[in-house]
Amino acid sequence: MRQTQHFIPTLKENPTEAQIPSHQLMLRSGLVRGLASGVFSFLPMGYTVIKKIINILREEMEAIGGQEFLLPALNPIEIWEQTGRVEAMGDVLFHIKNREGLVLAPTHEEIITYHAKQHVKSYRDMPQIWYQIQTKFRNEARPKSGVLRGRQFTMKDAYSLDTTWEGLDEAYQRHYDAYCKIFNRCGIKFFVVGASSGAMGGKKSQEFMVESNSGEDICAITDNYAANLEVATSQVQPVARINENLLIEEFATPNAKTIDDLIEQFNIPEERCAKSVVYMVNDEPWLILMRGNDELNETKLQAVAGTNNIRPAGNDELVKYTGADHGSIGPVGLKGNIKVVADLLLQDANGMVSGANKDGFHLKNIDLKRDANISEYIDLRTINEGEICIADGQPLRVVKAIELGHIFKLGTRYSEALDAKFIDADGNLNPIIMGSYGIGVERIMACYIEQNHDEKGIIWNKALAPFFVHLLGLNIHKSDEVRAASEKLYADFKAAGIEVLFDDREETAGVKFNDADLLGLPYQVVVGQKNLKDGNVEVKNRKTDERFVISINEVVKELTFRD
RNA sequence: CGGAGCAUAGCGCAGCCCGGUAGCGCACAUCGUUCGGGACGAUGGGGUCGCAGGUUCAAAUCCUGUUGCUCCGACCA
C-alpha cells in the first residue's frame, strides 16, 4: 500500500481527551477517531488490525468446532423480558424510542437460546458450539479509556450447547484452551482469575486479564496464583487467644476516633483492636467486626449476604442500632437488634479492645466467645500487597487489570427461562446445558498497545501489525535513484507476499522516521542515497532497535524469514 | 447517578479576572533554500469563540440556562 494513497492521519500531539497510552497512540497513529463518548470510528489502518485479530479469533474458534453466525443487533424485547434481563441490565440496555418492542443487543445468550429452542430437539443434535463476531451495544454510564469501555464495540461471543454437565465441562475447557492460544498468538501477556458471574448468572466463570494501570479490575497475583481482589485470600495468622482472660472493662477514650488513635494513645497492639463497621444489608443492620485496620471487602460481604443491596449505615442509623457514633462502636452492649458477623481472623479471639457503644468509651479484655454474640465468622477482609500467597508462599502483588475475555458455565438458566429443551436417549425432556464465552475485540487491540509501546509509538508484532514492512523512500521526490530503487523494492515485497506500507510521500527524512516509529510496523526498510550508492538499504527492527545494512537484492529474502 | 474540570482554526493552547473589530505554535497551500531523525524564510487560506437566552452603545470576556467531552466516585456480561 502506498502511503500517498492510504488515509493515515497521524498527530504530533496528544489530543486532550486521551488519557491512557493505548488511546493516545491509537489516535496519534491514525487507527481510530472518536465520534461520541464511547463511540469510535476505525480508520483503514485500525480496521486492518481489527481484521487481523478477527482472523485469529475465527481460526481458533473453528479449531474447536465453532460455527459462525451473524445475529441481529436489533432484538425483540419480549425475549429479554422472558429471561428477566430487561430489568437486570437496567439502563445498560439500549431501548429504541420510535419502535416499541425492540432493543439493541448487549450480548446474545437470549437469541442463541431462541434458535436452539427452535431446532435443537434431540440429544443427537448436540454438542454444538455457536459463535459470532458482532457489534454489541451497551449504554455504559461512564465510557472511558478510549475503546476499553465503549457504548458500541465488537465482541466475539460463543455459546456451547450440551446434553450433560460433563459435556459443558469439556466445552468450557476447550474454550479455555482456545482463549490461551488466541491471546498467545496476539502476543498478549495475560493471566486467568476466578470471577463472579454478575448479571450473566451461572455456575462458574473465569476472566482472562491483562495487567495494566489503565485497568478497572484489581487482582492479586504471584507466578502461580491469580485472583480478583473481590475473592482473593492470603495467609495471615489469626488473632490468637491469650492465656490471661480478664474481665471486661470500660475505659474512657475521649480523643480516640480511629484504630490508629487507640494504638497511639493507649499503646494497644493493632491486632488486639477490633474495628466495627455497620452496613445496611437489604435495609437490615449488620455490624461487621474486622481485625485492627483490616479493610472490609464489600464484594465478599455481598457474596455472603446474597445481595448487591448493601451500603454503609448513616450516622442516624449508627446511633439507633448501636447507641454510639462511629469511633465508639463495638460488638458488646449493642442497643438495637443488629446482626454481628466477624472476619475469620478474629475467630474466638479474646483480650480484644473495641468500642463500648457509648461515645468516648471503649472496652478492653473482650472475649468474643464469652462477651459477644457473633453469628458467623467469614472471610471478609481485603488482602494487602505483600501478604503471603496461599498457593505458593510468595508475596502477593496487587495489580490493576483489564478484562479481555470471560468464560461462563451458564448451566440451564437461559434454556429454562426460554424453554429450550431436548429429548434425551430415554425419552425425557431436559433443558439444554449452556456455556457462554466472550472476548472484546477492540480490547485485544488496546491491551496489546498498552503492553507494547515506547515513547515514540506503537511496537506491533507480526501477528497484529497492519503491515509487516514499512518501506521508507527518503527524499523520493528529489532522487530518481531512490524513486526507482524503492519502487522496485515495493514491487518485490508485494511479489514475495510480504505486507508492505510504502512511504512515498514528499516528506523529509525526519518526518518519515518519526511517523514510522509512531506507526510501529515490525521492520523499517530505509532506501536512501547514503546506502544506495553501494547498492544497500538499511533495515531497522522496531522492537529491538537492531539496525543493519544489507544489499538491496537480499533484503526481501532476509525479511521473508523473520518474525 | 453524585463530585470536579474543560469547550476559542484540523491538533495543542493564549486571550476572559479588568467588555471595545480574535491571537500563537503545529498542520495546510504557493515559491525559494535545505535534504538520513519531526528544516528555514517569505506569502497565503481557514474560526458566527459549543449552543440558546439575558445585561450593555458594545460580549470570546459579565449573568442564566443548556449540550458535549474528560477526570474521580457509584455502576458494569
Side-chain angles (χ1 to χ4, degrees), chain A residues 13 15-16 37 138 142 149 153 155 199-200 408 456 475 478 510-511 513-514 517 531 538 547:
Chain A
E13 292 171 291
T16 19
S37 184
R138 294 183 187 179
R142 180 147 102 82
R149 179 163 294 276
F153 60 97
M155 182 186 249
M200 293 290 292
F408 295 86
K456 304 222 70 166
N475 294 308
K478 303 287 175 61
V511 169
F513 286 132
N514 281 295
D517 287 341
N531 290 308
E538 182 180 312
R547 295 156 200 252

Coordinates of all heavy atoms in Angstrom, one line a residue, chain A residues 13 15-16 37 138 142 149 153 155 199-200 408 456 475 478 510-511 513-514 517 531 538 547, chain B residues 1 11-13 25-28 34-39 69-77:
Chain A
E13 N 0.8 15.7 18.4 CA 0.5 15.9 19.8 C -0.7 15.1 20.3 O -1.6 14.7 19.5 CB 0.1 17.4 20.0 CG 1.3 18.3 19.8 CD 1.0 19.8 19.8 OE1 0.3 20.2 18.9 OE2 1.4 20.5 20.7
P15 N -4.2 14.4 21.7 CA -5.5 15.1 21.9 C -5.8 15.0 23.4 O -5.5 14.0 24.1 CB -6.5 14.3 21.2 CG -5.7 13.6 20.1 CD -4.4 13.3 20.7
T16 N -6.4 16.1 24.0 CA -6.6 16.2 25.4 C -7.5 15.1 26.0 O -7.4 14.7 27.1 CB -7.2 17.5 25.8 OG1 -7.8 18.1 24.7 CG2 -6.1 18.4 26.5
S37 N -19.0 10.0 23.0 CA -18.4 9.4 24.2 C -18.7 7.8 24.1 O -19.8 7.4 24.0 CB -19.1 9.9 25.4 OG -18.6 9.3 26.6
R138 N -24.0 -1.2 24.5 CA -24.2 -1.2 26.0 C -24.2 0.3 26.4 O -23.2 1.0 26.1 CB -23.2 -1.9 26.8 CG -23.4 -3.4 26.5 CD -22.4 -4.3 27.3 NE -22.5 -5.6 26.8 CZ -21.8 -6.6 27.3 NH1 -21.0 -6.4 28.3 NH2 -22.0 -7.8 26.8
R142 N -20.5 5.4 32.2 CA -19.3 6.3 32.0 C -18.3 5.6 31.1 O -17.4 4.9 31.6 CB -18.7 6.5 33.4 CG -17.5 7.4 33.3 CD -17.3 8.3 34.5 NE -16.3 7.8 35.4 CZ -15.0 8.1 35.3 NH1 -14.6 8.7 34.3 NH2 -14.2 7.6 36.2
R149 N -13.6 0.9 27.2 CA -15.0 0.8 27.7 C -15.9 1.7 26.8 O -15.9 2.9 27.0 CB -15.1 1.2 29.2 CG -16.6 1.2 29.7 CD -16.6 1.2 31.2 NE -16.1 0.0 31.7 CZ -16.8 -1.2 31.9 NH1 -18.1 -1.2 31.5 NH2 -16.2 -2.2 32.3
F153 N -19.2 -1.8 20.7 CA -17.9 -2.4 20.5 C -18.2 -3.8 19.8 O -19.3 -4.2 19.7 CB -17.2 -2.6 21.8 CG -18.0 -3.4 22.9 CD1 -17.8 -4.7 23.1 CD2 -19.0 -2.8 23.6 CE1 -18.5 -5.4 24.0 CE2 -19.7 -3.5 24.5 CZ -19.5 -4.8 24.7
M155 N -17.6 -7.8 19.7 CA -17.3 -8.9 20.6 C -17.4 -10.2 19.8 O -18.2 -10.4 19.0 CB -18.4 -9.0 21.7 CG -18.1 -10.1 22.7 SD -19.5 -10.2 23.9 CE -18.7 -9.6 25.4
A199 N -24.5 -10.3 36.4 CA -25.8 -10.4 35.8 C -26.0 -11.5 34.8 O -27.1 -11.8 34.4 CB -26.2 -9.1 35.1
M200 N -24.9 -12.2 34.4 CA -25.0 -13.2 33.5 C -25.6 -14.5 34.1 O -26.3 -15.3 33.4 CB -23.6 -13.6 33.0 CG -22.9 -12.6 32.2 SD -23.6 -12.4 30.6 CE -23.2 -13.9 29.8
F408 N -18.0 -18.5 30.9 CA -19.1 -18.8 31.9 C -19.6 -20.2 31.7 O -19.9 -20.6 30.6 CB -20.3 -17.9 31.8 CG -20.1 -16.5 32.1 CD1 -19.7 -15.6 31.1 CD2 -20.4 -16.0 33.3 CE1 -19.5 -14.3 31.3 CE2 -20.2 -14.6 33.6 CZ -19.8 -13.8 32.6
K456 N 8.1 6.6 21.6 CA 8.0 7.0 20.2 C 6.7 6.5 19.5 O 6.2 7.1 18.5 CB 9.2 6.5 19.4 CG 10.5 7.0 19.9 CD 11.5 7.4 18.9 CE 11.0 8.7 18.2 NZ 12.1 9.3 17.4
N475 N 13.5 11.2 0.6 CA 13.7 12.2 -0.5 C 13.4 11.6 -1.8 O 14.1 11.9 -2.8 CB 15.1 12.8 -0.4 CG 15.3 13.6 0.8 OD1 14.5 14.5 1.2 ND2 16.4 13.3 1.5
K478 N 13.1 13.8 -4.8 CA 14.3 14.5 -5.2 C 15.4 13.7 -5.9 O 16.3 14.2 -6.3 CB 14.9 15.2 -4.0 CG 14.0 16.1 -3.2 CD 13.7 17.4 -4.0 CE 12.7 18.3 -3.3 NZ 13.1 18.7 -1.9
G510 N 13.2 13.1 8.5 CA 12.8 13.1 10.0 C 11.4 12.8 10.2 O 11.0 12.0 11.0
V511 N 10.5 13.4 9.3 CA 9.1 13.1 9.4 C 8.8 11.7 9.2 O 8.0 11.0 9.9 CB 8.3 14.0 8.4 CG1 6.9 13.6 8.3 CG2 8.5 15.5 8.8
F513 N 10.8 9.0 9.5 CA 11.3 8.2 10.6 C 10.4 8.3 11.8 O 10.1 7.2 12.4 CB 12.7 8.6 11.0 CG 13.8 8.3 10.1 CD1 14.8 9.2 9.7 CD2 13.9 7.0 9.6 CE1 15.8 8.9 8.8 CE2 14.9 6.6 8.6 CZ 15.8 7.6 8.3
N514 N 10.0 9.4 12.1 CA 9.2 9.6 13.3 C 7.8 9.0 13.1 O 7.2 8.3 14.0 CB 9.1 11.0 13.7 CG 10.3 11.5 14.5 OD1 10.6 11.0 15.6 ND2 11.1 12.4 13.9
D517 N 8.2 5.2 13.4 CA 8.3 4.7 14.8 C 6.9 4.8 15.4 O 6.5 4.0 16.3 CB 9.3 5.6 15.6 CG 10.7 5.2 15.2 OD1 10.9 4.1 14.6 OD2 11.6 6.0 15.4
N531 N 23.1 4.8 1.5 CA 23.4 3.4 1.3 C 23.2 2.9 -0.1 O 23.8 2.0 -0.6 CB 22.6 2.6 2.2 CG 23.1 2.8 3.7 OD1 24.2 2.7 4.0 ND2 22.1 3.1 4.5
E538 N 19.0 0.2 4.5 CA 19.2 -0.1 6.0 C 17.9 -0.7 6.5 O 16.8 -0.2 6.1 CB 19.5 1.2 6.7 CG 19.6 1.0 8.2 CD 20.0 2.3 9.0 OE1 20.8 3.0 8.6 OE2 19.3 2.6 10.0
R547 N 19.7 -2.5 13.9 CA 19.8 -1.9 12.6 C 20.9 -2.6 11.8 O 22.0 -2.9 12.4 CB 20.1 -0.4 12.6 CG 19.0 0.4 13.3 CD 19.6 1.7 13.8 NE 18.8 2.3 14.8 CZ 18.1 3.4 14.6 NH1 18.1 4.0 13.5 NH2 17.3 3.9 15.6
Chain B
rC1 P -28.7 10.9 34.7 OP1 -30.1 10.6 34.7 OP2 -28.2 12.2 34.4 O5' -28.2 10.5 36.2 C5' -29.1 10.3 37.2 C4' -28.3 10.0 38.5 O4' -27.5 8.8 38.3 C3' -27.3 11.1 38.9 O3' -27.9 12.2 39.6 C2' -26.4 10.3 39.8 O2' -27.0 10.1 41.1 C1' -26.3 8.9 39.0 N1 -25.1 8.9 38.2 C2 -23.9 8.6 38.8 O2 -23.9 8.4 40.0 N3 -22.8 8.5 38.0 C4 -22.9 8.7 36.7 N4 -21.8 8.6 36.0 C5 -24.1 9.0 36.0 C6 -25.2 9.1 36.8
rC11 P -9.6 19.3 16.2 OP1 -10.4 18.2 16.9 OP2 -10.0 20.7 16.4 O5' -8.1 19.1 16.6 C5' -7.5 17.8 16.7 C4' -6.1 17.9 17.1 O4' -5.3 18.6 16.1 C3' -5.9 18.7 18.4 O3' -6.1 18.0 19.6 C2' -4.4 19.1 18.2 O2' -3.6 18.0 18.5 C1' -4.3 19.4 16.7 N1 -4.6 20.8 16.4 C2 -3.5 21.7 16.6 O2 -2.5 21.3 17.0 N3 -3.8 23.0 16.3 C4 -4.9 23.4 15.8 N4 -5.1 24.7 15.6 C5 -6.0 22.5 15.6 C6 -5.8 21.2 15.9
rG12 P -6.6 18.8 20.8 OP1 -6.9 17.8 21.9 OP2 -7.5 19.9 20.5 O5' -5.2 19.6 21.3 C5' -4.1 18.8 21.7 C4' -3.0 19.8 22.0 O4' -2.5 20.5 20.8 C3' -3.3 20.9 23.0 O3' -3.3 20.5 24.3 C2' -2.2 21.9 22.6 O2' -1.0 21.5 23.2 C1' -2.1 21.8 21.1 N9 -3.0 22.7 20.4 C8 -4.2 22.6 20.0 N7 -4.8 23.6 19.4 C5 -3.8 24.6 19.6 C6 -3.7 25.9 19.1 O6 -4.6 26.6 18.6 N1 -2.5 26.5 19.5 C2 -1.5 25.9 20.1 N2 -0.4 26.6 20.3 N3 -1.5 24.7 20.5 C4 -2.6 24.1 20.2
rC13 P -4.2 21.2 25.4 OP1 -3.6 21.0 26.7 OP2 -5.6 20.8 25.1 O5' -4.0 22.7 24.9 C5' -4.0 23.8 25.9 C4' -3.2 24.9 25.4 O4' -3.1 25.0 24.0 C3' -3.7 26.3 25.8 O3' -3.4 26.6 27.2 C2' -3.0 27.2 24.8 O2' -1.6 27.4 25.2 C1' -3.0 26.3 23.5 N1 -4.2 26.6 22.7 C2 -4.2 27.9 22.0 O2 -3.2 28.6 22.2 N3 -5.2 28.2 21.2 C4 -6.2 27.4 21.1 N4 -7.2 27.7 20.3 C5 -6.3 26.1 21.8 C6 -5.2 25.8 22.6
rG25 P 3.3 31.8 15.3 OP1 4.6 32.3 14.8 OP2 2.2 31.8 14.4 O5' 3.5 30.3 15.8 C5' 4.6 30.0 16.7 C4' 4.5 28.5 17.2 O4' 3.3 28.4 18.0 C3' 4.3 27.5 16.0 O3' 5.5 27.2 15.4 C2' 3.7 26.3 16.8 O2' 4.7 25.7 17.6 C1' 2.7 27.1 17.7 N9 1.4 27.2 17.2 C8 0.9 28.3 16.5 N7 -0.4 28.1 16.1 C5 -0.6 26.8 16.5 C6 -1.8 26.0 16.2 O6 -2.9 26.4 15.7 N1 -1.7 24.7 16.7 C2 -0.5 24.3 17.4 N2 -0.6 23.0 17.8 N3 0.6 25.0 17.6 C4 0.4 26.2 17.1
rC26 P 5.5 26.8 13.9 OP1 6.9 26.5 13.5 OP2 4.7 27.8 13.1 O5' 4.7 25.4 13.9 C5' 5.3 24.2 14.4 C4' 4.3 23.1 14.5 O4' 3.1 23.5 15.2 C3' 3.7 22.6 13.1 O3' 4.6 21.8 12.4 C2' 2.5 21.9 13.6 O2' 2.8 20.6 14.2 C1' 2.0 22.8 14.7 N1 1.0 23.8 14.2 C2 -0.3 23.3 14.0 O2 -0.5 22.2 14.3 N3 -1.2 24.2 13.5 C4 -0.9 25.4 13.2 N4 -1.8 26.2 12.8 C5 0.4 25.9 13.4 C6 1.4 25.1 13.9
rA27 P 4.6 21.8 10.8 OP1 5.5 20.8 10.4 OP2 4.7 23.2 10.4 O5' 3.1 21.4 10.5 C5' 2.7 20.0 10.6 C4' 1.2 19.9 10.3 O4' 0.4 20.7 11.2 C3' 0.8 20.3 8.9 O3' 1.1 19.3 7.9 C2' -0.7 20.6 9.1 O2' -1.4 19.4 9.1 C1' -0.7 21.2 10.4 N9 -0.5 22.7 10.3 C8 0.6 23.4 10.6 N7 0.5 24.7 10.4 C5 -0.9 24.8 10.0 C6 -1.6 25.9 9.6 N6 -1.2 27.2 9.6 N1 -2.9 25.7 9.2 C2 -3.3 24.4 9.2 N3 -2.7 23.3 9.5 C4 -1.5 23.6 9.9
rC28 P 1.5 19.7 6.5 OP1 1.7 18.4 5.7 OP2 2.7 20.7 6.6 O5' 0.3 20.5 5.9 C5' -1.0 19.8 5.7 C4' -2.0 20.8 5.1 O4' -2.3 21.9 6.1 C3' -1.5 21.6 3.9 O3' -1.6 20.8 2.7 C2' -2.4 22.8 3.9 O2' -3.6 22.5 3.4 C1' -2.5 23.1 5.4 N1 -1.5 24.1 5.9 C2 -1.7 25.4 5.6 O2 -2.7 25.7 5.0 N3 -0.8 26.3 6.0 C4 0.3 25.9 6.7 N4 1.1 26.9 7.1 C5 0.5 24.6 6.9 C6 -0.4 23.7 6.5
rU34 P 20.0 24.4 -1.6 OP1 21.5 24.3 -1.6 OP2 19.2 23.8 -2.6 O5' 19.5 23.8 -0.2 C5' 20.3 24.1 1.0 C4' 19.7 23.4 2.2 O4' 18.2 23.7 2.2 C3' 19.7 21.9 2.2 O3' 20.9 21.4 2.8 C2' 18.5 21.6 3.2 O2' 18.9 21.7 4.5 C1' 17.5 22.7 2.8 N1 16.5 22.2 1.9 C2 15.5 21.4 2.3 O2 15.5 21.0 3.5 N3 14.6 21.0 1.4 C4 14.5 21.3 0.1 O4 13.6 20.9 -0.6 C5 15.6 22.2 -0.3 C6 16.5 22.6 0.5
rC35 P 21.6 20.1 2.1 OP1 22.9 20.0 2.7 OP2 21.5 20.3 0.6 O5' 20.6 18.9 2.5 C5' 20.5 18.5 3.8 C4' 19.4 17.5 3.9 O4' 18.2 18.0 3.2 C3' 19.7 16.2 3.2 O3' 19.1 15.1 4.0 C2' 19.1 16.3 1.9 O2' 18.7 15.1 1.3 C1' 17.8 17.1 2.2 N1 17.3 17.9 1.0 C2 16.1 17.6 0.5 O2 15.3 16.8 1.1 N3 15.6 18.3 -0.6 C4 16.4 19.1 -1.2 N4 16.0 19.8 -2.2 C5 17.7 19.4 -0.7 C6 18.1 18.8 0.4
rG36 P 19.5 13.6 3.6 OP1 21.0 13.4 3.2 OP2 18.5 13.1 2.7 O5' 19.3 12.8 5.0 C5' 18.2 13.2 5.9 C4' 18.3 12.3 7.0 O4' 18.2 10.9 6.6 C3' 19.6 12.3 7.8 O3' 19.5 12.1 9.1 C2' 20.4 11.2 7.2 O2' 21.4 10.6 8.0 C1' 19.3 10.1 6.9 N9 19.6 9.2 5.8 C8 19.8 9.5 4.5 N7 20.1 8.5 3.8 C5 20.0 7.4 4.7 C6 20.2 6.0 4.5 O6 20.5 5.4 3.5 N1 20.0 5.3 5.7 C2 19.7 5.9 6.9 N2 19.6 5.0 7.9 N3 19.5 7.2 7.1 C4 19.7 7.9 6.0
rG37 P 19.1 13.1 10.2 OP1 19.4 14.4 9.7 OP2 19.6 12.6 11.5 O5' 17.5 12.8 10.2 C5' 16.6 13.9 10.4 C4' 15.8 13.6 11.7 O4' 15.4 12.2 11.7 C3' 16.6 13.8 12.9 O3' 15.8 14.4 13.9 C2' 17.1 12.4 13.4 O2' 17.2 12.3 14.8 C1' 15.9 11.6 12.9 N9 16.1 10.2 12.7 C8 17.2 9.7 12.0 N7 17.1 8.4 12.0 C5 16.0 8.1 12.7 C6 15.4 6.8 13.0 O6 15.8 5.7 12.7 N1 14.2 6.9 13.7 C2 13.7 8.1 14.1 N2 12.6 8.1 14.8 N3 14.2 9.3 13.9 C4 15.3 9.2 13.1
rG38 P 15.4 16.0 13.7 OP1 16.5 16.7 12.9 OP2 15.1 16.3 15.0 O5' 14.2 15.9 12.8 C5' 13.0 15.3 13.2 C4' 11.8 15.9 12.5 O4' 10.7 15.1 12.8 C3' 11.5 17.3 12.8 O3' 10.9 17.8 11.6 C2' 10.4 17.2 13.8 O2' 9.5 18.3 13.8 C1' 9.7 16.0 13.3 N9 8.9 15.2 14.3 C8 9.0 15.0 15.6 N7 8.1 14.2 16.1 C5 7.3 13.9 15.0 C6 6.1 13.0 14.9 O6 5.6 12.4 15.7 N1 5.7 13.0 13.6 C2 6.2 13.7 12.5 N2 5.7 13.5 11.3 N3 7.3 14.4 12.6 C4 7.8 14.5 13.9
rA39 P 11.8 18.6 10.5 OP1 10.8 19.2 9.6 OP2 12.9 17.7 10.0 O5' 12.6 19.7 11.4 C5' 12.3 21.1 11.2 C4' 13.5 21.7 10.6 O4' 13.9 21.1 9.3 C3' 13.3 23.1 10.2 O3' 13.4 24.0 11.3 C2' 14.4 23.4 9.1 O2' 15.6 23.6 9.7 C1' 14.4 22.0 8.4 N9 13.6 22.0 7.2 C8 12.5 21.2 6.9 N7 12.0 21.4 5.7 C5 12.8 22.4 5.2 C6 12.8 23.0 3.9 N6 12.0 22.7 3.0 N1 13.8 23.9 3.7 C2 14.7 24.2 4.7 N3 14.8 23.6 5.9 C4 13.8 22.7 6.1
rC69 P -20.4 13.2 24.7 OP1 -20.3 12.0 23.8 OP2 -21.2 13.0 25.9 O5' -18.9 13.6 25.1 C5' -17.9 13.7 24.1 C4' -16.7 14.4 24.7 O4' -17.0 15.7 25.2 C3' -16.1 13.7 25.9 O3' -15.3 12.5 25.6 C2' -15.3 14.8 26.5 O2' -14.1 15.0 25.8 C1' -16.2 16.0 26.3 N1 -17.0 16.3 27.5 C2 -16.5 17.0 28.5 O2 -15.3 17.3 28.4 N3 -17.2 17.3 29.6 C4 -18.5 16.8 29.7 N4 -19.2 17.1 30.8 C5 -19.1 16.1 28.6 C6 -18.3 15.8 27.5
rU70 P -15.2 11.4 26.6 OP1 -14.5 10.3 25.9 OP2 -16.5 11.1 27.3 O5' -14.2 12.0 27.7 C5' -12.9 12.2 27.4 C4' -12.2 12.9 28.5 O4' -12.8 14.2 28.8 C3' -12.2 12.2 29.8 O3' -11.2 11.1 29.9 C2' -11.9 13.3 30.8 O2' -10.5 13.6 30.8 C1' -12.7 14.4 30.2 N1 -14.1 14.5 30.8 C2 -14.2 15.2 32.0 O2 -13.2 15.6 32.6 N3 -15.5 15.3 32.5 C4 -16.6 14.8 31.9 O4 -17.7 14.9 32.4 C5 -16.4 14.1 30.6 C6 -15.2 14.0 30.1
rC71 P -11.5 9.9 30.9 OP1 -10.5 8.9 30.6 OP2 -13.0 9.5 30.9 O5' -11.2 10.5 32.3 C5' -9.9 10.9 32.6 C4' -9.9 11.6 34.0 O4' -10.8 12.8 33.9 C3' -10.5 10.8 35.1 O3' -9.6 9.9 35.7 C2' -10.8 12.0 36.1 O2' -9.7 12.5 36.7 C1' -11.4 13.0 35.2 N1 -12.8 12.9 35.0 C2 -13.6 13.5 36.0 O2 -13.1 14.0 37.0 N3 -15.0 13.5 35.9 C4 -15.5 12.9 34.8 N4 -16.8 12.9 34.7 C5 -14.7 12.3 33.8 C6 -13.4 12.3 33.9
rC72 P -10.1 8.6 36.3 OP1 -9.0 7.7 36.5 OP2 -11.3 8.1 35.5 O5' -10.7 9.0 37.7 C5' -9.9 9.6 38.7 C4' -10.7 9.9 39.9 O4' -11.5 11.1 39.6 C3' -11.6 8.9 40.4 O3' -11.1 7.8 41.1 C2' -12.6 9.7 41.2 O2' -12.0 10.1 42.5 C1' -12.7 11.0 40.4 N1 -13.8 10.9 39.4 C2 -15.1 11.2 39.9 O2 -15.2 11.5 41.1 N3 -16.2 11.1 39.1 C4 -16.0 10.7 37.8 N4 -17.1 10.7 37.0 C5 -14.7 10.4 37.3 C6 -13.6 10.5 38.1
rG73 P -11.7 6.4 41.1 OP1 -10.8 5.5 41.9 OP2 -11.9 6.0 39.6 O5' -13.1 6.5 41.7 C5' -13.2 6.7 43.1 C4' -14.7 7.0 43.5 O4' -15.2 8.1 42.7 C3' -15.7 6.0 43.2 O3' -15.7 4.9 44.2 C2' -17.0 6.8 43.3 O2' -17.3 7.1 44.6 C1' -16.6 8.1 42.6 N9 -16.9 8.0 41.2 C8 -16.1 7.8 40.1 N7 -16.8 7.8 38.9 C5 -18.1 8.0 39.3 C6 -19.3 8.1 38.6 O6 -19.5 8.0 37.3 N1 -20.4 8.3 39.4 C2 -20.4 8.4 40.7 N2 -21.6 8.5 41.3 N3 -19.3 8.3 41.5 C4 -18.2 8.1 40.7
rA74 P -16.2 3.4 43.7 OP1 -16.0 2.6 44.9 OP2 -15.5 3.1 42.4 O5' -17.7 3.6 43.5 C5' -18.6 3.7 44.6 C4' -20.0 3.8 44.1 O4' -20.1 5.0 43.2 C3' -20.5 2.7 43.2 O3' -21.0 1.6 43.9 C2' -21.6 3.3 42.3 O2' -22.8 3.5 43.1 C1' -21.0 4.7 42.1 N9 -20.2 4.8 40.9 C8 -18.9 4.7 40.7 N7 -18.4 4.8 39.5 C5 -19.6 4.8 38.8 C6 -19.9 4.9 37.4 N6 -18.9 4.9 36.5 N1 -21.2 5.0 37.0 C2 -22.1 5.0 37.9 N3 -22.0 4.9 39.2 C4 -20.7 4.8 39.6
rC75 P -20.7 0.1 43.4 OP1 -21.5 -0.8 44.3 OP2 -19.3 -0.1 43.2 O5' -21.4 0.1 42.0 C5' -22.8 0.1 41.8 C4' -23.2 0.2 40.4 O4' -22.6 1.3 39.8 C3' -22.8 -1.0 39.5 O3' -23.6 -2.1 39.6 C2' -22.8 -0.3 38.1 O2' -24.1 -0.2 37.6 C1' -22.3 1.1 38.5 N1 -20.8 1.2 38.3 C2 -20.3 1.4 37.0 O2 -21.2 1.5 36.1 N3 -19.0 1.5 36.8 C4 -18.2 1.4 37.8 N4 -16.9 1.5 37.6 C5 -18.6 1.2 39.2 C6 -20.0 1.0 39.3
rC76 P -22.9 -3.6 39.5 OP1 -24.0 -4.6 39.6 OP2 -21.8 -3.7 40.4 O5' -22.4 -3.7 38.0 C5' -23.3 -3.7 36.9 C4' -22.5 -3.5 35.6 O4' -21.7 -2.3 35.7 C3' -21.5 -4.6 35.3 O3' -22.2 -5.7 34.7 C2' -20.6 -3.9 34.4 O2' -21.1 -3.8 33.1 C1' -20.5 -2.5 35.0 N1 -19.4 -2.4 35.9 C2 -18.1 -2.0 35.3 O2 -18.1 -1.9 34.1 N3 -17.1 -1.9 36.1 C4 -17.2 -2.1 37.4 N4 -16.1 -1.9 38.1 C5 -18.4 -2.4 38.0 C6 -19.5 -2.6 37.2
rA77 P -22.2 -7.1 35.5 OP1 -23.6 -7.4 35.8 OP2 -21.2 -7.1 36.5 O5' -21.8 -8.2 34.4 C5' -22.4 -9.4 34.3 C4' -21.9 -10.1 33.1 O4' -22.5 -9.6 31.9 C3' -20.4 -9.9 32.8 O3' -19.6 -10.7 33.6 C2' -20.3 -10.2 31.3 O2' -20.3 -11.6 31.1 C1' -21.6 -9.6 30.8 N9 -21.4 -8.2 30.4 C8 -21.8 -7.1 31.0 N7 -21.5 -6.0 30.4 C5 -20.8 -6.4 29.3 C6 -20.2 -5.7 28.2 N6 -20.2 -4.4 28.1 N1 -19.6 -6.5 27.3 C2 -19.6 -7.8 27.4 N3 -20.2 -8.5 28.4 C4 -20.8 -7.8 29.3

